Amino acid sequence: MRIGLEVHVALPLKSKLFCSCSSSAEEPNTAICPICMGFPGSKPMLNERALGIAKSIAAALNCRLNDFISFVRKVYFYPDLPKSYQITQIGGAVGTGGYVQTASGRVGIVRVQIEEDPARIIRGDDYTLLDFNRSGIGLVEIVTEPDMTDEGGMKEFIIELKSILYYLGVDIDQEFKVDLNVSTSGDRVETKNVTGMANIVNALRYEIKRQGVMASKGQRIGMETRSYDEAGMKTVQSREKETEEEYGFIYEPDLGEYDMRKVETETAVYASRIAHEYAKRYDYSESTLRELIMFNREALALIDGAKGGHRMQNIVNAVELLIKYRKTGINGRDFESMLGLVENGAAVRKETIEKIERGEGISGYSAVSEDEVNKEIADIIRSNARLLEDYKRDRKVLNFVIGRVAKKHNADPRYVSEQLRKVLRDVFKVE
Amino acid sequence: MNSIEEFNSLEKKESYYPRLVEELKRANGEFHAFNLINEGIRAGFPFSAKDNICVRGFEATCSSKILKGYVPNFSATAVSRLGSAFGFLGKTNMDEFGFGTFGINSEEPARNPFNSDYVTGGSSSGAAAATALMKYHVALAVSTGGSISSPASFCGVVGYTPTYGLVSRYGLIDYGNSLDRIGIIARSAGDVRHTCGLLRGTDRYDSTCVDHNVASDGKKTLFVINQLNEVLDERIRAPFESLLGKLENLGYVVKRVDLDIIGKAVGIYYIISSAEASTNLARYTGFKYGYQYGRFTEYYNDFFSNARAEFGIEAKRRIILGTFVRSASVRGKYYDKALRARRLLIDRMKGLLKDGYIISPTMPIKTPKIREVRELTPLQSYATDALTVPPNLCGFPHISFPFDYIDGMPIGAQIITDHFNDDAIIGFVEEWERHFKYRFKHNLGAL
């Protein structure tokens, strides 16, 4: 069996792709203008912020990046499409020929492209409504090779992709929409517009079963386009279907070419790879780490900052406490204090964390002489010449010093942290 | 002094504009230059806009039934840029969506002010007719494949098509986006110079509009392309040869050259323009604006198909042709190939234009009667675009100007220069006008 996906996700943009209308209006048909309504005389003007995000995604998915990109018109008649064509990309896409690495193998990426969303269709019993707020919202479409071979592999791919997108700032709470291609016999069957993981899995299971039954009866499956019936949890034959022949792609003459060479990208974060690496390095459970960091920037940052000076189990416990109490935005120093308590086996309640954040003293620490602490801090720094160099680039490098000294003397990490700053300033002349 | 400065310097009575409107309405009964006359005009130098250019609050129909009732809530950038020194006089007649060479693809075709039995040319038919009717007026017109030059030539006025990208297309209802240009039809090159200065400049609402210096690099060599000369009607060839003689007397050097590929221009043009047009016209489904067929309870396919039945015959022909040439199975053979051929033609013509201007008559035939062009097959009609299509396909600036009168009807010549050298050919026509006086039969609004 071969499974391929065309994934659509909304780009994190405040305004639409080709006009300045808001991309987040709620009252239907309030964020509309001549451009996104396709009124005669209007022209698209590209929101160039889309280029950086799309290029970052393409780079994260290991694509070849095109130096110049262009757009095409894909023509079809449907009431949600104001111009009766969608502005999208094919040949001049942002990236082509990439891949996503998952535990069960590589999934090839055919291309990453930018396109506009049509209007939202709301169907009632005997009426249909259209909300053009969605018309013209910027999407990125990610087209995969049919490289997935079973449900597990598909799920792995989707989670991996979502995590990569999450770390690039693409809102994954907005459920993403896929066109699901399933071929059990050689004939490709496409199920369009399936939204959310549960529906995607159900659509896949239904198709496998349906195609299996047909094959067992000796019937030819045939290439076709289907749609997903969410209530019935099944795929149904589409009444309308367009073919590549009918789309009649032409180059979008209102936009021209865009030079991508100077467009800056954000560095990708592969949380699954980090979980794997830390699990090995700190001899810890990979699945627990994955669960913590795949979709949690803050957890990853806290673990990264504390990983040298503490046992992974304690760090994970502390992060889990924060998640449990829904505490966000804690800084590295307060997190050190918290870790100190966790390591001492003290009970950390929500109030305890709030106290730490307010800078109030926490009982249970021993008093330690300033000279002794300062000498110890200075010794650790002197013992590793590179530390100071690294510190200039990344302030988190010295967090482990706080942890180590605080632990040894059962001192308040907040106090140790202040001393560290003094030592850096007075002894090493570093601010 | 151009007529805009002259107009502004003259004393005008309060009744000037209402009287102009009255005279114009009367003349329009015969010549059908206007689809809409703005009776509210009270100030400024009168300008008209072709009916595919949006003017906020005024119906924009492109002379098509399918756009009846479409009143844009925004103005084209070109219209806004004219500013308050200009007064909006009305929307001019045209071939439906710009599809036509003679102005007859309109419910009520515009008629030539020199003789109403004759065509005005097209597709900016009303723009040229209005200019020939009024003493003080400029027209915002639009060219895709020659729609400014053709009517300017047949109506005996000056038609300027700027370098592609120099004037914003925002607010222009698209025909072929990679070809469409807003330009000016006026009674003199001086009026063109005055007006076009206001229109130029980059616009965030049109990505293809650029901020580029306009040069005035005057040339002394005039290239006559043999392959274009061959298609001329004998009655055009002779006066054109005498024009070349006059220009030689003014110090120009005429060089006759071959440019084989130019014979393919009309074919390339109809493939690209129809492909683009067929996508642009896809939005007319009678759904949110314009002509609505039946009620929303119909199946969507029936609903939009019935509305689209209202397109005129030429619009339907272009939609079918354009949809065909971009279909996946033949796209490589037609659309993609035409794009490559267009690049080749641009390179070849650019090679000539660095050393001189290209000059030819604007149209290969004498002004025909309306009755006569109704008999032409589409291919015969398209063939008359042979001289105007090349500079349009390649984005080169060009001007059609009157140079002779035969049997009482004006004939025009077309001068072409390299990209962004627009002001040089405006200067060329200004020089010509110092040696040749244009004739007009009507002078509505004279002071």
Short mmCIF file of all heavy atoms in Angstrom, two decimals, chain A residues 160-180:
data_model
loop_
_atom_site.label_atom_id
_atom_site.label_comp_id
_atom_site.label_asym_id
_atom_site.label_seq_id
_atom_site.Cartn_x
_atom_site.Cartn_y
_atom_site.Cartn_z
N GLU A 160 5.38 14.28 13.22
CA GLU A 160 6.70 14.88 12.98
C GLU A 160 6.56 16.22 12.24
O GLU A 160 7.16 17.23 12.61
CB GLU A 160 7.55 13.90 12.16
CG GLU A 160 8.96 14.38 11.86
CD GLU A 160 9.82 14.53 13.11
OE1 GLU A 160 9.52 13.87 14.13
OE2 GLU A 160 10.78 15.32 13.07
N LEU A 161 5.72 16.22 11.19
CA LEU A 161 5.52 17.43 10.41
C LEU A 161 4.93 18.54 11.27
O LEU A 161 5.36 19.69 11.23
CB LEU A 161 4.60 17.13 9.22
CG LEU A 161 4.25 18.33 8.33
CD1 LEU A 161 5.49 18.86 7.62
CD2 LEU A 161 3.18 17.97 7.31
N LYS A 162 3.91 18.16 12.07
CA LYS A 162 3.27 19.16 12.92
C LYS A 162 4.27 19.77 13.89
O LYS A 162 4.23 20.97 14.17
CB LYS A 162 2.13 18.52 13.72
CG LYS A 162 0.81 18.43 12.97
CD LYS A 162 -0.25 17.84 13.89
CE LYS A 162 -1.55 18.60 13.78
NZ LYS A 162 -2.59 18.07 14.68
N SER A 163 5.16 18.93 14.42
CA SER A 163 6.14 19.43 15.39
C SER A 163 7.10 20.41 14.72
O SER A 163 7.40 21.47 15.26
CB SER A 163 6.91 18.25 16.00
OG SER A 163 7.94 18.73 16.83
N ILE A 164 7.56 20.05 13.53
CA ILE A 164 8.47 20.95 12.79
C ILE A 164 7.78 22.29 12.53
O ILE A 164 8.33 23.37 12.74
CB ILE A 164 8.92 20.30 11.46
CG1 ILE A 164 9.79 19.07 11.75
CG2 ILE A 164 9.69 21.30 10.60
CD1 ILE A 164 10.09 18.21 10.53
N LEU A 165 6.50 22.21 12.12
CA LEU A 165 5.74 23.43 11.83
C LEU A 165 5.53 24.24 13.12
O LEU A 165 5.65 25.46 13.13
CB LEU A 165 4.39 23.09 11.20
CG LEU A 165 4.44 22.48 9.80
CD1 LEU A 165 3.05 22.05 9.35
CD2 LEU A 165 5.03 23.48 8.80
N TYR A 166 5.24 23.52 14.21
CA TYR A 166 5.02 24.18 15.50
C TYR A 166 6.24 25.04 15.87
O TYR A 166 6.11 26.20 16.26
CB TYR A 166 4.75 23.14 16.57
CG TYR A 166 4.87 23.69 17.98
CD1 TYR A 166 3.81 24.40 18.55
CD2 TYR A 166 6.04 23.53 18.71
CE1 TYR A 166 3.92 24.94 19.82
CE2 TYR A 166 6.17 24.06 19.98
CZ TYR A 166 5.12 24.77 20.53
OH TYR A 166 5.24 25.31 21.79
N TYR A 167 7.42 24.46 15.72
CA TYR A 167 8.63 25.19 16.10
C TYR A 167 8.96 26.33 15.13
O TYR A 167 9.77 27.19 15.43
CB TYR A 167 9.82 24.25 16.28
CG TYR A 167 9.82 23.64 17.67
CD1 TYR A 167 9.29 22.38 17.90
CD2 TYR A 167 10.30 24.37 18.75
CE1 TYR A 167 9.25 21.85 19.17
CE2 TYR A 167 10.26 23.85 20.03
CZ TYR A 167 9.74 22.60 20.25
OH TYR A 167 9.70 22.10 21.52
N LEU A 168 8.31 26.36 13.95
CA LEU A 168 8.49 27.49 13.03
C LEU A 168 7.40 28.54 13.23
O LEU A 168 7.29 29.49 12.46
CB LEU A 168 8.50 27.01 11.58
CG LEU A 168 9.74 26.21 11.17
CD1 LEU A 168 9.55 25.62 9.78
CD2 LEU A 168 10.99 27.08 11.20
N GLY A 169 6.57 28.31 14.25
CA GLY A 169 5.55 29.30 14.57
C GLY A 169 4.26 29.15 13.79
O GLY A 169 3.44 30.06 13.76
N VAL A 170 4.07 28.01 13.13
CA VAL A 170 2.83 27.79 12.39
C VAL A 170 1.81 27.20 13.35
O VAL A 170 2.05 26.18 13.98
CB VAL A 170 3.05 26.84 11.20
CG1 VAL A 170 1.74 26.59 10.46
CG2 VAL A 170 4.09 27.44 10.26
N ASP A 171 0.68 27.88 13.45
CA ASP A 171 -0.34 27.54 14.43
C ASP A 171 -0.97 26.18 14.13
O ASP A 171 -1.76 26.03 13.19
CB ASP A 171 -1.43 28.61 14.40
CG ASP A 171 -2.44 28.41 15.51
OD1 ASP A 171 -2.26 27.46 16.30
OD2 ASP A 171 -3.40 29.19 15.57
N ILE A 172 -0.60 25.17 14.93
CA ILE A 172 -1.13 23.85 14.63
C ILE A 172 -2.45 23.61 15.34
O ILE A 172 -3.07 22.56 15.18
CB ILE A 172 -0.14 22.74 15.01
CG1 ILE A 172 0.33 22.96 16.44
CG2 ILE A 172 1.01 22.68 14.03
CD1 ILE A 172 0.62 21.70 17.13
N ASP A 173 -2.91 24.59 16.14
CA ASP A 173 -4.24 24.43 16.73
C ASP A 173 -5.31 24.58 15.67
O ASP A 173 -6.39 24.00 15.74
CB ASP A 173 -4.46 25.45 17.85
CG ASP A 173 -3.60 25.11 19.06
OD1 ASP A 173 -3.22 23.93 19.18
OD2 ASP A 173 -3.30 26.02 19.85
N GLN A 174 -4.97 25.43 14.66
CA GLN A 174 -5.85 25.47 13.49
C GLN A 174 -5.65 24.12 12.81
O GLN A 174 -4.63 23.88 12.22
CB GLN A 174 -5.37 26.57 12.52
CG GLN A 174 -5.37 27.93 13.12
CD GLN A 174 -6.50 28.75 12.58
OE1 GLN A 174 -7.35 28.24 11.84
NE2 GLN A 174 -6.55 30.00 12.94
N GLU A 175 -6.66 23.26 12.90
CA GLU A 175 -6.52 21.90 12.37
C GLU A 175 -6.06 21.96 10.93
O GLU A 175 -6.51 22.78 10.15
CB GLU A 175 -7.87 21.20 12.43
CG GLU A 175 -8.19 20.64 13.80
CD GLU A 175 -7.31 19.49 14.21
OE1 GLU A 175 -6.28 19.23 13.54
OE2 GLU A 175 -7.62 18.84 15.23
N PHE A 176 -5.17 21.10 10.57
CA PHE A 176 -4.79 21.16 9.18
C PHE A 176 -5.60 20.18 8.32
O PHE A 176 -6.16 19.22 8.80
CB PHE A 176 -3.29 21.11 8.96
CG PHE A 176 -2.58 19.84 9.33
CD1 PHE A 176 -3.22 18.61 9.38
CD2 PHE A 176 -1.23 19.89 9.61
CE1 PHE A 176 -2.55 17.48 9.68
CE2 PHE A 176 -0.55 18.75 9.93
CZ PHE A 176 -1.20 17.55 9.97
N LYS A 177 -5.63 20.56 7.04
CA LYS A 177 -6.53 19.92 6.10
C LYS A 177 -5.67 19.10 5.14
O LYS A 177 -4.67 19.60 4.66
CB LYS A 177 -7.25 21.03 5.32
CG LYS A 177 -8.66 20.74 4.98
CD LYS A 177 -9.40 22.02 4.57
CE LYS A 177 -8.71 22.86 3.52
NZ LYS A 177 -9.45 24.07 3.17
N VAL A 178 -6.05 17.87 4.87
CA VAL A 178 -5.26 17.11 3.90
C VAL A 178 -6.13 16.54 2.79
O VAL A 178 -7.33 16.31 2.97
CB VAL A 178 -4.47 15.93 4.55
CG1 VAL A 178 -3.69 16.39 5.77
CG2 VAL A 178 -5.37 14.78 4.90
N ASP A 179 -5.49 16.34 1.64
CA ASP A 179 -6.05 15.49 0.61
C ASP A 179 -5.28 14.19 0.74
O ASP A 179 -4.06 14.18 0.73
CB ASP A 179 -5.84 16.09 -0.79
CG ASP A 179 -6.55 17.43 -0.94
OD1 ASP A 179 -7.50 17.68 -0.17
OD2 ASP A 179 -6.14 18.22 -1.80
N LEU A 180 -6.03 13.10 0.91
CA LEU A 180 -5.43 11.80 1.23
C LEU A 180 -5.44 10.92 -0.02
O LEU A 180 -6.49 10.67 -0.60
CB LEU A 180 -6.26 11.15 2.35
CG LEU A 180 -5.98 9.70 2.71
CD1 LEU A 180 -4.64 9.59 3.43
CD2 LEU A 180 -7.10 9.18 3.61
#
